[in-house]
Every structure is written in C-alpha cells, then in structure tokens.
C-alpha cells in the first residue's frame, strides 16, 4: 500500500468516526455540558475510570458516587451517568463529573416538582449564615432559619442527616439558587391534623401534647395542629403560684379535654383531672379538733395557707394565728415553706375549704391568766397605749388589760384623769373582770381606793334636810356640794315654793343653804335636792304643831309662828357652829 493510499484510508477512517460520533452525540459543542451514560472499566485507588464512548476515558473520584455520609458502592462493569465537562483535558482524557450529572438530574426533577407544587425530599447537611444547606438528591438548596419549623428550634442536631420533606419556595437554575421550607410542609400537615382532631374532639378525651407557651395564668399545649389552654388551677391539685413551677416549654404532657366550644374552637385542658381528687373523704381524714403538721405555702394580708398534703390546703385566718398579736401581719408570725402545727377548726367539702388554727395548738394565755389571777387581784403593769376611751396596761402572759375612762378616778372626769398618764408609766390596777372567749380584761385604778361618794352617801338618806354650799349658779338651777365628796343639784323649780323666788341668780357661790334630799343617784354620783320640798314640809309641820283651821287660828298666824321658831332654831345652830370653830 502506498503512502498516499494509507493517508487516504486514515482520513476516511477519521471521517467515519466523526460521523459516528456526530450521529451519537451531535457536534462536540452539543456533547460537552451533557449527561452521558458510561461504563466503569477500572477502579484505581479512589478514582473510577469510566468509558463514555469517546476516544478516551475519564476519571471520577469515588466519593462523588457516595451518598451523604456513606461509602461509594461501585464496581467494574457498572453503568453510570456522568456529566461531560470537556472532551479532553491536557492529558487527553475526558473531564467527567458524577456530582454535576446528579445535579443536572436533580434540577430537572426539582423544576418539575416546583411547577407541580410537589414536596421534595432532602437532607440538611450544613449550617450557613441565616440558615442551613440542604442536599436535594445532588442539588444544594438554602433553608432559611425561619423556615425550619413552626416554632423556633433551639437544637437542629436531631434533624441533620435525616431525610426530611421540603417545599420549594423559589428556584433559579441560571443562578443555581434554590430556597426550600420545611415549615410550609409542617403547617400543611398541621392543618390536616387540626381538621381531623377538631372533628373527633370531645370532652373527657385524654390526649398527648407539647407545652408551646407559658403565661402567668396557664400554659398553651399543642395537641398536634390545635392549641388548648391548661389553666394554672388545673395543672395539679396542689397550689401552684406560676405554671413554670410544674411545666417547661417543649415538655410532653398528658392532658384531658375539660371543655370544648366547637364554635370558637376554644379548648380547656386539665392535668389534675387525670389524678384522684384528694378532697374526696376529706372530713374523715381531717376531723375537727385534731392537730396536724403542714407547710406554709402562701401568705396574704388576711392569713396564711397551709398545705396538709399535696392538693389539700387550709387557711389560718389572721385572727387564729396568735393569742396576743392582734394587729400584726401574718408574715411576721410565719414564713413561706415553714413547717407548722395547726388544728382543724372547720371542714367544708362542698366549698373545698378547711379552716385551721395556729394559736389553738398553744396554751391560751387568757385562760392561764384567770387561773392565776382571780377577779379582785391587784396587779402592776406598764401603760402600753393610751386611747380616747382608756388605758391599755401590759399584764403577765404578754396580754393587755384595759382601764376604761370611767374607772380612772372617782372625782375627776375621765378625759381629765386620762391626762395624768403617759405611755410607759408603771401603774397599779385592780382586776375587775376577765372574758376568756372575747379575750378581754377589765381593770380599774380608782377601785384601789374607797369611793368617797359611797362613804358620804352612807351618812344621808332620801328625805333628810341637809346644809349645802353653792358651788355654781346655772340657768337651770344651782349646783351645790353636800358633805365630803358629793355633788348636789337644785333645779330652778325647786329653789322656792313661791314662783317669784325661783331665780338661780338669788344665790351666790359659797352661800350656805338648807335643802331636802329628794334622790341619791349612785350612777351619776349626784344628789338631787329641793328647797321647795323643805318649805312644804315645814308648813305641814307648823300646821300640825300650832293648830288647824278648826281652832280659829289663821294661816298667817300659824306660818308667822313657825317662821319665828325656825329663825330662832337657825340662830341657835349658827351660834353653836361658831362656838365649835373657836
């Protein structure tokens, strides 16, 4: 064969190959950038040699054939699809890529899913600014942080490396951008689950949910597409001041549907309803009069709540906290979490109330006081307080007694006598009365001395004519002193038998006069007197002594004689008094 013949043969052969190539792939321009099918002809170290029907094979790293986090399972003879970057590189080999082939395949399928609004499956494999990267069967997509879940996710670790459903929000093949959302899928599933749950929901149903949010008044529980409110009073039978004491966000809880309103779709949930009610048979467990030890759970202005057992609390009213500390805030007697002994005073199962007493577990100082100090005893104490109605005096046993204004002094008015005392004074008092039930002790200071009025009143009686001294002249009459320690009063109409003489201004302070005792009032400590009554009595006596209308004597004669006799008697008495004074 000549050289020319050989050259012509080679040329024909080359043209024939080119024609075959064009027939299979089109021009080289069309082949490059395409996905081709090839056969693994050899595996050398970490590289697979692949024949795609070109004049030279291409090399592809084995890791490109492996799934995320797994080893490549590839052997000689396997048929694979690869992407042709270039026909040949500087070594004359085809430049192939399995990843790009997968990406191209993925993009084609993803575009179809995007157009048909279908979900796609991917794996979260990396973290980037503002979100995460997702492998969608070879194509890399961006998952914004806000699109990971319906609620903020603190730890995404459990989601990474696990196939998850996603919704494509937008994609741009030219720029290679894909944005996906896991939240959209969850919301769609949640809506479906919500509809199914609402349709089958009924009161009394027991469900499992996740604590979604906690407020001061309760917790919102996600039941799987719909939220229900678990009020703080329905979390447990025991007292819970704040839901966070018993629940945490994200916690899985078992709840019972207490109320369900289909119109508003409001759901009320309870946890304590799944447990036995501790109030059942409470009267038998806590009989009135028995003592128990409990824990102070809450303190208010009106008392303290004591837990007898989980779910059973009783109130110790402020009036039942101490025998002696009456106007003290309960927080100064007990403290929260303190263990205290209490007595059951009353049980009301219907209202779920138990009344407790703290002071009843201690000795009653009032009963103890009356045993040691009988009525009539004389005691000494400090003036603790002064009020408008008397003195409060400290007594043994850390209790106080009261001296009323009327029991301060026999002579002085109460307000005037009160001014003689000040807080901190040590005084002697007499025990007048003790009322254990009302916790009252009545004391007296004036009772330490004899009542001068009583002593003076013992020397006179109603009907006696006494000599008294004018101490004050008033419009309604004359005030006088009678003997020692007695005050008397002569009303205007009793100043004289004659109307013209019934004038108080006829008398002067210090003037002595005789009057008849008409009444002795021990309560007001006053003696009522009458000059008029004395004159009438004298007239009757004169009539009896000096005659009557039958004897022929005139009334003037009788009265004149009687008056003369009275004047003589008065003169004789005054002379005797003067002699005594000398």
């Amino acid at each position: 064969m000549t050289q020319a013949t050989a050259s012509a043969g080679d040329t024909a052969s080359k043209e024939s190959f080119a024609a075959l190539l064009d027939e299979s792939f089109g021009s080289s321009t069309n082949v490059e950038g395409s996905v081709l099918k090839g056969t693994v002809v050899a595996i050398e170290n970490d590289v697979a040699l692949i024949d795609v029907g070109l004049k030279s094979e291409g090399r592809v790293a084995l890791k490109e054939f492996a799934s995320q986090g797994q080893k490549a399972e590839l052997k000689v003879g396997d048929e694979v699809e690869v992407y042709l970057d270039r026909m040949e590189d500087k070594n004359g080999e085809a430049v192939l890529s399995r990843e790009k082939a997968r990406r191209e395949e993925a993009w084609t399928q993803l575009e179809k899913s995007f157009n048909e609004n279908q979900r796609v499956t991917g794996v979260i494999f990396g973290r980037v600014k503002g979100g995460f990267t997702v492998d969608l069967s070879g194509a890399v997509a961006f998952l914004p942080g806000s699109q990971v879940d319906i609620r903020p996710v603190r730890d995404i670790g459990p989601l990474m490396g696990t196939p998850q459903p996603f919704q494509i929000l937008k994609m741009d093949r030219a720029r290679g951008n894909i944005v996906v959302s896991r939240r959209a899928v969850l919301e769609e599933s949640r809506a479906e689950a919500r509809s199914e749950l609402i349709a089958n929901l009924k009161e009394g149903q027991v469900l499992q949910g996740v604590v979604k949010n906690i407020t001061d008044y309760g917790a919102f529980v996600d039941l799987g597409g719909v939220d229900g409110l678990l009020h703080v009073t329905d979390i447990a039978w025991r007292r819970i001041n704040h839901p966070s004491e018993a629940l945490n966000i994200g916690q899985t809880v078992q709840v019972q549907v207490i109320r369900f309103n289909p119109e508003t779709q409001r759901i009320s949930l309870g946890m304590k309803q799944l447990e036995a009610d501790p109030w059942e048979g409470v009267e038998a467990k806590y009989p009135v009069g028995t003592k128990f030890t409990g824990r102070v759970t809450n303190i208010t202005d009106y008392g303290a709540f004591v837990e007898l057992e989980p779910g059973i609390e009783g109130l110790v009213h402020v009036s039942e906290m101490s025998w002696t500390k009456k106007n003290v805030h309960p927080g100064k007697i007990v403290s929260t979490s303190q263990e205290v002994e209490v007595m059951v005073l009353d049980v009301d199962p219907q209202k779920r109330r138990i009344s407790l007493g703290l002071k009843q577990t201690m000795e009653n100082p009032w009963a103890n006081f009356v045993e040691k100090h009988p009525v009539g005893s004389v005691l000494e104490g400090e003036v603790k307080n002064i009020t408008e109605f008397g003195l409060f005096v400290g007594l043994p046993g850390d209790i106080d007694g009261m001296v009323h204004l009327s029991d301060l002094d026999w002579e002085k008015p109460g307000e005037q006598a009160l001014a003689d005392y000040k807080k901190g004074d040590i005084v002697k008092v007499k025990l007048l009365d003790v009322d254990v039930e009302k916790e009252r002790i009545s004391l007296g200071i004036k009772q330490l001395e004899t009542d001068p009025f009583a002593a003076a009143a013992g020397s006179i009686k109603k009907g006696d004519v006494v000599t008294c001294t004018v101490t004050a002249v008033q419009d309604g009459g004359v005030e006088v002193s009678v003997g020692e320690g007695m005050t008397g009063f002569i009303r205007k109409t009793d100043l004289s038998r004659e109307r013209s003489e019934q004038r108080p201004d006829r008398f002067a302070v210090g003037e002595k006069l005789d009057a008849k005792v008409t009444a002795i009032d021990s309560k007001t400590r006053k003696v009522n007197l009458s000059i008029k009554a004395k004159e009438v009595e004298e007239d009757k006596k004169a009539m009896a002594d000096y005659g009557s209308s039958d004897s022929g004597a005139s009334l003037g004669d009788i009265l004149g004689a009687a008056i003369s006799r009275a004047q003589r008697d008065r003169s004789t008495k005054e002379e005797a008094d003067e002699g005594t004074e000398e």
Side-chain angles (χ1 to χ4, degrees), residues 367-383:
N368 189 38
F369 178 86
V370 77
E371 286 180 9
K372 295 181 179 179
H373 306 284
V375 172
S377 301
V378 176
L379 304 167
E380 193 173 70
E382 180 185 347
V383 176

Side-chain angles (χ1 to χ4, degrees), residues 487-519:
T487 300
F489 190 76
I490 305 173
R491 292 182 301 171
K492 183 177 179 179
T493 55
D494 287 321
L495 290 174
S496 176
R497 187 174 58 178
E498 302 294 331
R499 284 182 81 83
S500 59
E501 298 298 320
Q502 294 175 352
R503 303 191 322 273
D505 56 6
R506 285 195 310 115
F507 300 90
V509 174
E511 182 179 349
K512 293 183 180 295
L513 51 86
D514 291 337
K516 185 178 182 179
V517 177
T518 57

Side-chain angles (χ1 to χ4, degrees), residues 268-494:
S268 296
L269 305 173
M271 285 177 63
K272 72 180 186 182
Q273 286 76 6
L274 299 174
E275 302 173 356
D277 185 354
W279 283 88
E280 290 183 6
V282 70
E283 287 179 297
K285 286 192 289 185
Y286 300 101
V288 172
T290 52
K291 297 179 182 179
F292 295 92
T293 299
R295 181 178 63 88
V296 178
T297 57
N298 192 28
I299 297 174
T300 67
D301 292 337
Y302 53 85
F305 288 91
V306 176
E307 183 183 63
L308 300 176
E309 66 173 85
I312 298 289
E313 279 187 348
L315 172 66
V316 181
H317 192 267
V318 63
S319 61
E320 307 295 346
M321 300 199 80
S322 173
W323 290 111
T324 57
K325 298 173 183 177
K326 297 299 180 184
N327 298 315
V328 178
H329 190 275
K332 293 189 177 179
I333 300 176
V334 295
S335 57
T336 305
S337 299
Q338 179 183 346
E339 294 285 335
V340 293
E341 187 181 28
V342 291
M343 178 182 285
V344 178
L345 304 181
D346 184 55
V347 180
D348 190 335
Q350 282 70 36
K351 293 183 178 179
R352 304 172 80 89
R353 291 178 182 172
I354 296 181
S355 297
L356 302 172
L358 188 64
K359 69 183 184 182
Q360 286 78 2
T361 63
M362 310 169 192
E363 187 179 47
N364 185 344
W366 306 90
N368 189 38
F369 178 86
V370 77
E371 286 180 9
K372 295 181 179 179
H373 306 284
V375 172
S377 301
V378 176
L379 304 167
E380 193 173 70
E382 180 185 347
V383 176
K384 294 292 187 70
N385 196 18
I386 299 176
T387 68
E388 59 183 12
F389 46 84
L391 304 175
F392 283 92
V393 179
L395 300 173
D398 197 25
I399 57 179
D400 293 343
M402 191 187 79
V403 182
H404 193 268
L405 286 176
S406 60
D407 292 315
L408 288 171
D409 196 282
W410 290 115
E411 301 294 336
K412 293 181 183 178
E415 293 78 4
Q416 185 179 340
L418 193 65
D420 294 338
Y421 300 91
K422 62 181 183 294
K423 198 172 180 180
D425 285 352
I426 303 298
V427 294
K428 279 189 176 182
V429 292
K430 190 170 186 177
L431 182 59
L432 304 181
D433 183 53
V434 180
D435 190 328
V436 176
E437 288 186 6
K438 293 182 179 179
E439 299 177 0
R440 291 178 184 172
I441 295 179
S442 298
L443 305 172
I445 291 179
K446 72 180 185 181
Q447 285 80 359
L448 296 170
E449 300 173 354
T450 303
D451 182 359
F453 179 85
S459 62
I460 63 172
K461 63 181 181 297
K462 184 179 177 181
D464 287 353
V465 175
V466 295
T467 301
C468 45
T469 305
V470 177
T471 56
V473 177
Q474 303 172 1
D475 292 340
V478 176
E479 189 176 277
V480 297
S481 64
V482 184
E484 293 293 332
M486 284 196 300
T487 300
F489 190 76
I490 305 173
R491 292 182 301 171
K492 183 177 179 179
T493 55
D494 287 321

Side-chain angles (χ1 to χ4, degrees), residues 71-352:
K71 279 188 175 184
E73 295 181 359
L74 196 67
K75 61 185 182 294
V76 175
D78 285 350
E79 196 174 76
V80 294
E81 288 185 342
V82 291
Y83 181 84
L84 179 62
D85 255 348
R86 293 196 306 276
M87 294 288 289
E88 57 182 50
D89 59 7
K90 61 181 180 180
N91 297 322
E93 294 180 345
V95 179
L96 306 174
S97 171
R98 173 57 188 163
E99 284 186 355
K100 288 184 178 181
R102 288 177 64 244
R103 193 175 301 132
E104 286 297 312
E105 292 173 6
W107 270 97
T108 302
Q109 185 59 43
L110 291 173
E111 282 181 332
K112 181 181 178 183
S113 299
F114 179 61
N115 293 330
E116 295 177 0
N117 197 30
Q118 293 179 343
R119 299 175 185 176
V120 296
T121 302
V123 177
I124 303 172
F125 68 90
R127 189 186 295 269
V128 293
K129 184 178 180 181
F132 306 89
T133 51
V134 179
D135 179 9
L136 300 177
S137 301
V140 178
F142 173 63
L143 173 64
S146 61
Q147 296 298 319
V148 175
D149 206 320
I150 295 171
R151 295 183 295 273
V153 178
R154 296 182 180 179
D155 182 16
I156 199 172
L159 297 177
M160 297 187 74
T162 305
Q164 303 280 336
F166 296 92
Q167 188 75 38
I168 300 175
L169 300 181
K170 59 182 178 179
M171 62 187 302
D172 187 341
R173 188 163 187 170
R175 295 184 178 181
N177 291 337
I178 305 176
V179 179
V180 295
S181 171
R182 180 173 175 269
R183 176 176 178 173
V185 176
L186 295 177
E187 286 179 342
E188 186 177 338
S189 302
R190 183 183 178 88
E192 295 172 0
R194 176 188 176 92
S195 300
E196 184 179 352
L197 181 64
I198 292 294
N200 300 320
L201 201 64
K202 58 182 180 294
E203 293 182 2
Q205 189 174 358
V206 178
L207 301 169
Q208 198 172 63
V210 178
V211 178
K212 180 179 179 181
N213 190 26
I214 293 177
T215 67
D216 290 340
Y217 54 86
F220 287 94
V221 179
D222 182 358
L223 301 174
V226 62
D227 291 346
L229 174 62
L230 175 61
H231 197 269
V232 63
T233 57
D234 290 311
I235 293 175
W237 290 110
R238 64 184 175 86
R239 174 184 289 272
I240 294 179
N241 296 315
H242 195 275
S244 59
E245 294 177 12
L247 301 172
N248 297 310
I249 292 177
Q251 179 181 346
T252 300
V253 293
Q254 195 170 34
V255 292
Q256 185 179 68
V257 179
I258 301 174
R259 287 178 298 278
F260 171 55
N261 188 330
E263 294 180 2
T264 60
Q265 294 192 355
R266 288 185 178 177
I267 304 170
S268 296
L269 305 173
M271 285 177 63
K272 72 180 186 182
Q273 286 76 6
L274 299 174
E275 302 173 356
D277 185 354
W279 283 88
E280 290 183 6
V282 70
E283 287 179 297
K285 286 192 289 185
Y286 300 101
V288 172
T290 52
K291 297 179 182 179
F292 295 92
T293 299
R295 181 178 63 88
V296 178
T297 57
N298 192 28
I299 297 174
T300 67
D301 292 337
Y302 53 85
F305 288 91
V306 176
E307 183 183 63
L308 300 176
E309 66 173 85
I312 298 289
E313 279 187 348
L315 172 66
V316 181
H317 192 267
V318 63
S319 61
E320 307 295 346
M321 300 199 80
S322 173
W323 290 111
T324 57
K325 298 173 183 177
K326 297 299 180 184
N327 298 315
V328 178
H329 190 275
K332 293 189 177 179
I333 300 176
V334 295
S335 57
T336 305
S337 299
Q338 179 183 346
E339 294 285 335
V340 293
E341 187 181 28
V342 291
M343 178 182 285
V344 178
L345 304 181
D346 184 55
V347 180
D348 190 335
Q350 282 70 36
K351 293 183 178 179
R352 304 172 80 89

